[in-house]
Amino acid sequence: MTFQEQISVGIPAELPASKPYDTSVNHAPKRKQILSPDEKKLAIKNALRYFEPRHHKELAAEFSNELETYGRIYMYRFRPDYEMKARPFSEYPGKSDQAKAIMLMIQNNLDYAVAQHPHELITYGGNGAVFQNWAQYLLTMKYLSEMTNEQTLAMYSGHPMGLFPSHANAPRVVVTNGMMIPNYSAPDDWEKFNALGVTQYGQMTAGSYMYIGPQGIVHGTTITVMNAGRKISKNGEGLEGKVFVTSGLGGMSGAQPKAGNIAGCITICTEINPKAVHTRHSQGWVDEVLTDIDSLIERVQKAKQTKETVSLAYLGNVVDVWEKFADKDIFIDLGSDQTSLHNPWAGGYYPVGLSLEESNAMMASEPEKFKEKVQESLRRQVSAINRHTAKGTYFFDYGNAFLLESSRAGADVMAKNNIDFRYPSYVQDILGPMCFDYGFGPFRWVCASCDPEDLAKTDAIALSVLEQMAKSAPVEIRQQMEDNIKWISSARENKLVVGSQARILYADAQGRINIAKAFNDAIAKGEIQNVILGRDHHDVSGTDSPYRETSNIYDGSRFTADMAIQNVIGDSFRGATWVSIHNGGGVGWGEVINGGFGMVLDGSEESGKRLKSMLFWDVNNGISRRSWARNDGAVFAIKQAMQSEPLLRVTIPNEVDDAIFTN
């Protein structure tokens, strides 16, 4: 069969041959056994729902074996034989160009060059899944190949519930992931209900089909590192010769060394998984690989002397680096951590003193002992970090639940008031007040043609728009404009593309609207083909996360999730092609609610109306919430928005003088 025919088949009527376990691919660690015998039977019955009864006996034995061996039912037998990658949207079968664009994005999320554990349908973060199993993938692609612009596909945590009648201006797909009853969002709840096959962890952009490889975070990481450098800068000096230590090269964490290179520092990024190190090195995201810590020290000292910009991957544990550098009195200027500590007990963090293989075995067979090892490792890591910060190192939490899990492990991370952490979140110190409050966040696009020349043209269009806007930009946002102009000017030479022809930059509402309108006009003129807009959920409006996106909200509402829910509802009737709402992305199951969107630009007048309506709301919803929390930058930004749009009326907070409380 042709590729188009295979996509259209869905779940085959006859069973394909079993597939051998491919050891050349990076696989998810075995999940711990958490189901009772009756629950395992239920998990198998749940999986068999996708198949005709005549196949149940054979598949029941196979799925039982997968459940026992891997802790999940992935249905490896049904993994398609065609190459998993984004193709030009015109190559997909179907009646709707919007649906074809979504198929492109789904396949990009599962591209071997993009996905962390592609055979387990996990894109990044250790458990950020596009689907729970391969039957869901096959059925979803079939539905999309049949969809018209008068239908909407409902996706329940990876399961395609079905195509429902709607209308042309409705979203083509509505995605929910992990939307649990609130009291069932503990880590073991995820383990249990995911093993049962009834929910999944969609991360932020995995289960919403908007992941674009490490580039998706490299820009935000670059902005963070650059501004962290400005915070420690004396007399306006840059980051030349300064050392940035962090960890994690799997999934999106590969962005860190690339961001360090763009920012101009010496980056040390540790990683315990050799396959992840090899992947990032072969893709050019890290310059050099070292396996001996003494050689690492020697290489860093040489780079410091010559003020060389270089990224170094250390194949080993980050705790050893923090401790050895402290013992040898090697000064670290900037420090952070980007291991997947939202998932600490199932491969998100590997404890010092254990190899990768030992950890993977222990987390499945002795989960309580593994938890003790992780918490012991976190205490050691924090102790070493504290030794460095006492000498002047600027350490910030990168929103991966590092400080949260360290505090739960009893590490010395609390401030003197024993309420706050002693170190700031990067959102509290950098992205919140400098970017999010002003509406600047991760605006991204994908060229549906998969043509590098289209990407080059969109880069040029975006640069032209930003340069024009910068001429009259208020002083409050001039630095943000300059940083993004510098970014997009050098984006191509930095070789950021992995998988689809995609780009990201930070822009405010007006910037996003102006760039999107320029794209739509270029499509209408035939200069480029269709463009898919989106963003990371890590943005101004999309995510309620008290330890990350909304950590600089100080009116007591940072633990509420109204903003994210309002965001996705508002996007859905203002023109988004698809919308998604998730529990758990970025910082952990039960710790965050985040929403996102995708929008296909096709050059039509209707597309132009939708982009203006939706993008204006998508940003200003969050600015209004941040303004109501009395964030000065957001108050400024929402007043600017009201001046530009007469129909916008937002409640502005009145300031309260603390002097009234003196009696």
Side-chain angles (χ1 to χ4, degrees), residues 367-392:
E368 288 305 313
K369 185 176 180 181
F370 183 73
K371 181 176 180 179
E372 292 173 5
K373 290 290 185 181
V374 167
Q375 293 189 322
E376 176 188 344
S377 186
L378 285 170
R379 291 192 292 271
R380 278 180 58 179
Q381 185 171 343
V382 168
S383 177
I385 290 169
N386 291 346
R387 291 168 65 189
H388 286 278
T389 58
K391 301 174 185 177

Side-chain angles (χ1 to χ4, degrees), residues 587-656:
V587 295
W589 192 255
E591 304 286 356
V592 55
I593 299 295
N594 49 263
F597 75 88
M599 172 177 273
V600 178
L601 302 181
D602 60 12
S604 66
E605 182 179 346
E606 186 59 37
S607 184
K609 293 177 182 177
R610 287 197 298 265
L611 73 86
K612 182 179 178 181
S613 175
M614 200 218 71
L615 292 173
F616 187 86
W617 157 260
D618 190 67
V619 176
N620 283 299
N621 166 49
I623 295 176
S624 63
R625 184 265 178 94
R626 293 169 185 277
S627 167
W628 187 238
R630 296 183 290 270
N631 291 18
D632 291 339
V635 172
F636 165 83
I638 204 64
K639 288 180 178 179
Q640 291 280 106
M642 284 192 284
Q643 289 178 12
S644 70
E645 174 50 79
L647 294 178
L648 179 66
R649 288 290 182 270
V650 172
T651 308
I652 302 297
N654 292 299
E655 291 298 323
V656 178

Side-chain angles (χ1 to χ4, degrees), residues 98 149 151-152 166-173 572-573 575-578:
Q98 294 182 16
N149 286 339
Q151 292 173 301
T152 294
S166 59
H167 55 82
N169 290 324
R172 297 282 67 79
V173 180
S572 68
F573 65 77
T577 305
W578 74 95

Side-chain angles (χ1 to χ4, degrees), residues 529-604:
Q529 295 188 53
N530 290 5
V531 171
I532 305 162
L533 301 182
R535 58 162 169 76
D536 194 338
H537 302 190
H538 173 57
D539 196 6
V540 180
S541 292
T543 298
D544 285 295
S545 176
Y547 297 108
R548 196 161 83 175
E549 283 78 4
T550 47
S551 60
N552 71 316
I553 300 292
Y554 299 111
D555 67 349
S557 70
R558 65 179 181 153
F559 293 93
T560 64
D562 300 81
M563 181 179 72
I565 301 299
Q566 289 278 357
N567 179 265
V568 77
I569 293 172
D571 283 354
S572 68
F573 65 77
R574 287 180 171 88
T577 305
W578 74 95
V579 292
S580 57
I581 189 80
H582 300 179
N583 166 20
V587 295
W589 192 255
E591 304 286 356
V592 55
I593 299 295
N594 49 263
F597 75 88
M599 172 177 273
V600 178
L601 302 181
D602 60 12
S604 66

Side-chain angles (χ1 to χ4, degrees), residues 50-254:
Y50 291 101
F51 307 98
E52 295 179 13
R54 62 194 174 102
H55 298 311
H56 284 184
K57 186 172 183 179
E58 180 177 353
L59 290 178
E62 187 171 306
F63 293 165
S64 176
N65 182 63
E66 285 189 10
L67 191 59
E68 291 297 329
T69 305
Y70 309 113
R72 296 292 186 272
I73 298 172
Y74 297 116
M75 307 183 187
Y76 289 121
R77 175 197 291 258
F78 295 94
R79 185 167 50 81
D81 293 323
Y82 51 75
E83 185 180 2
M84 190 64 66
K85 66 176 184 178
R87 294 160 171 80
F89 76 106
S90 58
E91 293 185 13
Y92 291 93
K95 306 167 186 175
S96 165
D97 283 352
Q98 294 182 16
K100 292 177 184 180
I102 297 169
M103 286 192 271
L104 181 162
M105 298 300 293
I106 287 172
Q107 289 203 306
N108 186 66
N109 270 27
L110 295 171
D111 186 326
Y112 285 20
V114 174
Q116 185 180 17
H117 306 306
H119 286 191
E120 289 74 39
L121 303 112
I122 290 172
T123 302
Y124 69 97
N127 57 358
V130 188
F131 301 99
Q132 297 176 55
N133 57 60
W134 285 104
Q136 292 178 346
Y137 165 85
L138 295 174
L139 188 54
T140 298
M141 298 298 273
K142 176 179 170 62
Y143 277 137
L144 290 170
S145 74
E146 298 170 345
M147 172 187 286
T148 73
N149 286 339
E150 300 290 329
Q151 292 173 301
T152 294
L153 175 61
M155 296 295 301
Y156 280 42
S157 282
H159 170 65
M161 189 61 72
L163 289 171
F164 292 82
S166 59
H167 55 82
N169 290 324
R172 297 282 67 79
V173 180
V174 176
V175 179
T176 55
N177 279 300
M179 300 307 295
M180 306 298 296
I181 301 301
N183 285 348
Y184 297 88
S185 276
D188 272 357
D189 291 323
W190 173 74
E191 295 281 357
K192 176 180 178 179
F193 293 112
N194 187 228
L196 281 172
V198 295
T199 195
Q200 73 174 8
Y201 192 99
Q203 257 291 350
M204 303 192 101
T205 51
S208 58
Y209 326 139
M210 192 44 71
Y211 191 66
I212 59 171
Q215 182 188 179
I217 193 175
V218 72
H219 179 263
T221 307
T222 300
I223 294 294
T224 299
V225 175
M226 287 170 59
N227 282 302
R230 289 169 183 148
K231 292 180 73 68
I232 65 172
S233 174
K234 298 175 183 176
N235 304 319
E237 64 184 9
L239 281 167
E240 295 81 7
K242 291 184 169 60
V243 176
F244 171 40
V245 170
T246 184
S247 57
L249 281 173
M252 66 183 183
S253 304

Side-chain angles (χ1 to χ4, degrees), residues 255-334:
Q256 297 175 107
K258 178 71 78 173
N261 279 2
I262 297 170
C265 60
I266 303 162
T267 305
I268 303 165
C269 191
T270 73
E271 169 62 55
I272 195 171
N273 188 336
K275 287 183 179 178
V277 172
H278 171 74
T279 297
R280 296 304 174 217
H281 185 242
S282 66
Q283 292 173 339
W285 289 82
V286 63
D287 297 326
E288 301 174 22
V289 176
L290 296 100
T291 59
D292 176 72
I293 198 163
D294 291 323
S295 298
L296 174 67
I297 290 172
E298 183 179 336
R299 182 68 181 89
V300 169
Q301 289 173 327
K302 179 182 177 182
K304 284 173 67 71
Q305 290 170 0
T306 59
K307 294 190 174 181
E308 178 185 4
T309 296
V310 65
S311 55
L312 309 172
Y314 173 64
L315 180 56
N317 198 290
V318 71
V319 180
D320 291 324
V321 173
W322 282 110
E323 291 179 340
K324 191 68 176 280
F325 276 41
D327 293 341
K328 295 292 185 179
D329 200 26
I330 297 173
F331 185 68
I332 296 171
D333 299 271
L334 301 176

